[in-house]
Each structure stands twice: as C-alpha cells, then as structure tokens.
Amino acid sequence: MAQHSTIAAIATGPAAGGVGVIRISGPAALEAARRVVPALPLFPEPRHAYFVNIAGLDDGLALCFPAPNSYTGEDVVELMPHGSPKLLSMVLRRLLEHPALRLAEPGEFTRRAFVNGRIDLARAEAVADLVVATSEAAVRSAAAQLSGELSRRIAAVKERLVPLHADLEASLDFPDEAEGADDGAGARLDAVLFELRALAAQGARGALARRGAHVVLYGPVNAGKSTLFNALLGSSRALVDAEPGTTRDVLEATVELGGLAVTFVDTAGLREGAGRVEALGIEKTRAALKGADLALLVVPPGAADVDAWRREATSEVVVVAAKADLGTTADGHAVSGLTGAGVAELKALVAGRLGAERSEAVALASERHREALGRAVEALQRARAAVEVATLEVVAGETAAALHALDDITGEDAKTELLDAIFRRFCIGK
Ligand SMILES: Nc1nc2c(ncn2[C@@H]2O[C@H](COP(=O)(O)OP(=O)(O)O)[C@@H](O)[C@H]2O)c(=O)[nH]1
Ligand SMILES: [Mg+2]
C-alpha cells in the first residue's frame, strides 16, 4: 500500500544470539537497505539469501521479499548479521537516517499484514500469543490459531448462518415470492447453536493453555501442605515445621505438567483462633481458592469433617490424604510428601483434571474471542426463542447480531481503537 510509510525494527529479542534480524517494510525498504548493504542489487532476486557486508560492520545475510509476497504484503527486506544487540541497534540507527524510514511501533508489521489482507485478526493475535508462549500447551494453542483453525471454524458456521439470514430477510421483504424460505429456521438455528456451543466449551480449555492453571493446596494446619508443595516442585520452596501456622503467606511456583504451565499455590492452613499475621494469611488463602482452577484439599490421617473443608473451595476439589507413610490415611489420593510416595501419581491426576495434553484445547485462547463468541451464542438463543413466540423481524435481527459478533473475531470491519488495543500487546519488531 503506497500511502504507508516505511518502517524498520530489530525483530529478534534483546539478548545476544547467533543471528539477529532487522526487518524493514514499506515502499522504501530496498532503497534504505541498499544504504547499509551497497552490495544488494537494484533488482534483487526475491527470497534469495545474499551473503553481504552489512554497514561495514559485519557479514551476514540479506533477503528481499517484494510485495505482495511478504509477511506484511509490502516490500520487505530482512538483514541478518550476528545477533549482537549493540551491533543490531547500530545498523538500525544507520537505516533510520533514511528520511523515508521510521521505527516500527509494537505489532506494526503484523498489523500491516492484517490491513493488507495477508492474515485475519484472529491469526494476527495468535502471533502475539505465540511469541510470549511459555508452555507447550500455550505454543500449541497459539500455533493452531495462527494456522487459521479458529478462523476456519468461524467461517464454517458463517456458511450456514449467512444463507439462513438471507432467507429470513427475503421472507420479510418479499413475503409472497419467498413463501416458506423461513421454514425450518428453528432446526437450522439449533444446528448452528450446537456448533458454537462446542467451540465455546473448548474456549475455557484454550484459556487454561494460554495463561496456565492455578492449583491451590489448602486444608487444616500441619496437614503436610508445605511438604507436599515442595515435593510437587521437587525443591524446597516452602518452610516446613511441626509448629502449627508456619505458612502465613501464599507461596507460588510454576512447573510444566503435561505441557501445561501449572502454578502450585501453598497456603496457610485455615483455622480458628489464629494470631493476627496468620489470620491475614488465612484471608489470602480464601482469595487464592477463589482464583483456583483446581484445589487440592490436603488432609492428615484421621481428619474430621472433610466435607466442610470441601465447601471452602469454589473450584473442583481433589482430596489428598497426606502423610501416607504414617499408615492410617484418610479417604482420598494417598501421598507422602516426606517419602515422595504417590506424588508422581498426584501430578498425573492434576494434569488429567486440567485437561492437559488434550489437543482440542486449541480454539479460543483470547478473552476477546470468548466474549464475542458468547455474544453470538446469546443472540442465537434469542433468535431461537423468537422462532416460537415472536415475529420474523426479531429472528432476523438476532441472527444478524450473531453474524456481527462472529465478524468481530476475525476482524471484518474492525475499528481503529480495537486494532490499537490489540496490537499494543505486541513487542516491537513483530
Ligand atoms: N510422617 C510424615 N510427616 C509429614 C509429612 N508431611 C509433613 N509432615 C510433617 O508434618 C508437619 C507439618 O508439615 P507442613 O508441611 O509444614 O504442614 P502444613 O502446615 O500443612 O504446611 C511437619 O513436622 C512435617 O515434617 C509426611 O508426608 N509424612
Ligand atoms: Mg505450610
């Protein structure tokens, strides 16, 4: 797009590496690149790796991607000297001396790819997710979205919804000619609703994959929570002592379980009559339980009233019978934090409950997508109800609203403010 400025940025991370990449995109990309790489021909071969001197400082590769066959859809040049952050910033500074060039804003390369129709919004957002993914599940989730999985499923739903909407509008506008076009609208809405609800159900898992899961250990004082916490992590993070109330703050540590980033949270035991500091810890325990994806209720042998403990949690609860080495364990998954018996099995159980390694956990990683999908489902539910009791106008109107919500996911007619908000999450050079 000729009205665009030409932008440049270091595309690789700020740490030293074998190779670094500077990316330039826009109409002046080649001209600017030739200032620091005089050896680049006037008409370089597309996607050919030229081994060249870069800025008189280093030898490396230069590749040219003429529009529209590039990441952004514009003319792109990538320079790859050694990955010294200082060297890269010196080369970049030289490039930016070109009057047509300016430093790229965060996410601007990907934003241009979206604006130029190279990728839709759902896929553009997946780039940001992939770059910051820290667990295998997060990588898989972002990669699937980047491959267009979500976009394809949305497109498949629209393929059914658009003709339905057209039939409804036709019945409204030309009641005689389009007689019967709205027949079976209820069944057609049901089919679409079924599909969208399935997609929404996967959304929760996708979210877990992206942000990781919180698993909170709680229970009576001295149950062995901190000992188990340390055993789960394989390191001594929490203080352990026979004195009740040793753990007063909330401790967190993250491990990877079945490809999922799982943050275990060790809490103060819940008990009455605790001192002031410990009481604060107990308050934090209740807050941690509210944010838990899964709670491990750790109970010592002979613990009473396990059901009352269960009710403290709002998430799913797994009862863990601690100190199994002492013999007389309570009902529940038996472990000994002291000997390590049952700990591997408990980890596997936790991974299973969280749905780690379930590859369907790919579809809806972003909050924005879940919200838009929720709106689509609600509109279709109102449309479905209206089929029985209200006018055709209502059915058609709600169907149109559902279509708009689906378009929000892939970014058709996306507003500038929305794009600003989305691409702000990116780092520079992406
Ligand atoms: N025999 C045995 N003792 C344990 C085990 N886990 C913890 N303890 C002991 O129980 C006491 C309380 O342990 P701690 O982990 O601090 O419990 P918390 O208050 O629930 O965090 C300490 O004296 C631990 O050594 C276990 O698996 N077996
Ligand atoms: Mg403790």
Side-chain angles (χ1 to χ4, degrees):
M1 294 177 97
Q3 72 269 32
H4 270 320
S5 50
T6 300
I7 54 174
I10 299 168
T12 39
V19 179
V21 177
I22 293 174
R23 187 183 265 165
I24 317 163
S25 178
L30 180 60
E31 191 192 308
R34 292 184 76 247
R35 284 200 166 186
V36 294
V37 185
L40 263 187
L42 254 177
F43 298 99
E45 206 180 305
R47 294 174 299 284
H48 176 80
Y50 289 94
F51 184 66
V52 289
N53 183 271
I54 299 173
L57 294 165
D58 191 15
D59 290 332
L61 298 182
L63 282 95
C64 303
F65 306 82
N69 298 314
S70 70
Y71 183 70
T72 58
E74 308 169 330
D75 283 345
V76 168
V77 178
E78 290 186 357
L79 305 179
M80 303 176 199
H82 288 102
S84 145
K86 195 71 209 171
L87 166 69
L88 289 166
S89 72
M90 286 166 77
V91 175
L92 179 64
R93 207 166 57 219
R94 285 276 300 280
L95 279 168
L96 291 174
E97 283 167 8
H98 190 290
L101 244 64
R102 66 167 170 79
L103 186 64
E105 287 164 21
E108 197 171 4
F109 292 101
T110 308
R111 184 174 185 153
R112 289 185 173 195
F114 166 70
V115 168
N116 293 329
R118 299 287 292 170
I119 49 175
D120 68 25
L121 198 53
R123 293 173 69 183
E125 289 173 277
V127 174
D129 289 342
L130 183 59
V131 170
V132 300
T134 53
S135 73
E136 276 187 32
V139 168
R140 284 185 213 292
S141 167
Q145 190 172 319
L146 183 55
S147 78
E149 152 121 8
L150 173 61
S151 311
R152 273 193 295 278
R153 292 188 62 172
I154 298 289
V157 169
K158 277 178 66 181
E159 251 168 52
R160 305 167 84 160
L161 210 49
V162 169
L164 172 61
H165 183 234
D167 286 346
L168 292 168
E169 292 291 343
S171 305
L172 276 174
D173 293 345
F174 314 102
D176 300 331
E177 293 87 335
E179 165 88 59
D182 57 317
D183 284 355
R188 289 165 77 183
L189 282 169
D190 282 340
V192 173
L193 261 173
F194 181 82
E195 176 66 22
L196 283 185
R197 285 206 187 100
L199 201 53
Q202 290 180 19
R205 272 191 215 294
L208 219 54
R210 200 174 67 132
R211 68 176 163 77
H214 273 75
V215 177
V216 174
L217 283 74
Y218 80 112
V221 283
N222 262 355
K225 299 180 295 298
S226 296
T227 305
L228 178 59
F229 175 75
N230 289 336
L232 285 166
L233 300 175
S235 69
S236 287
R237 283 292 308 276
L239 279 178
V240 173
D241 198 87
E243 184 183 320
T246 310
T247 310
R248 290 160 167 203
D249 211 343
V250 171
L251 278 181
E252 296 191 355
T254 305
V255 293
E256 193 161 324
L257 276 192
L260 198 69
V262 177
T263 301
F264 284 107
V265 185
D266 182 29
T267 64
L270 298 173
R271 63 167 179 169
E272 304 296 325
R276 201 175 65 86
V277 176
E278 198 189 338
L280 288 175
I282 290 173
E283 227 170 85
K284 284 192 173 178
T285 300
R286 295 221 156 89
L289 279 172
K290 281 207 184 75
D293 298 297
L294 183 69
L296 300 184
L297 170 52
V298 183
V299 292
D305 224 2
V306 171
D307 278 337
W309 283 105
R310 257 179 198 282
R311 286 193 291 273
E312 292 277 350
T314 45
S315 63
E316 186 187 346
V317 175
V318 170
V319 179
V320 177
K323 308 191 186 183
D325 56 291
L326 294 180
T328 50
T329 62
D331 280 349
H333 179 87
V335 300
S336 167
L338 209 60
T339 68
V343 171
E345 291 81 353
L346 179 60
K347 283 187 183 177
L349 183 84
V350 167
R353 291 292 167 90
L354 293 172
E357 281 177 348
R358 248 178 262 176
S359 58
E360 59 171 82
V362 291
L364 284 179
S366 117
E367 185 58 45
R368 196 183 73 77
H369 298 156
R370 276 204 305 288
E371 181 274 326
L373 191 69
R375 268 191 287 130
V377 168
E378 279 166 25
L380 286 179
Q381 279 168 342
R382 288 192 298 269
R384 182 65 186 90
V387 168
E388 316 291 347
V389 298
T391 62
L392 212 51
E393 266 104 343
V394 179
V395 183
E398 295 293 359
T399 305
L403 277 168
H404 280 303
L406 294 179
D407 282 345
D408 284 347
I409 296 177
T410 46
E412 261 113 299
D413 300 324
K415 301 269 183 301
T416 309
E417 307 87 78
L418 172 66
L419 296 181
D420 287 346
I422 287 171
F423 288 100
R424 210 174 293 132
R425 292 198 301 128
F426 281 66
C427 26
I428 288 180
K430 300 297 169 302

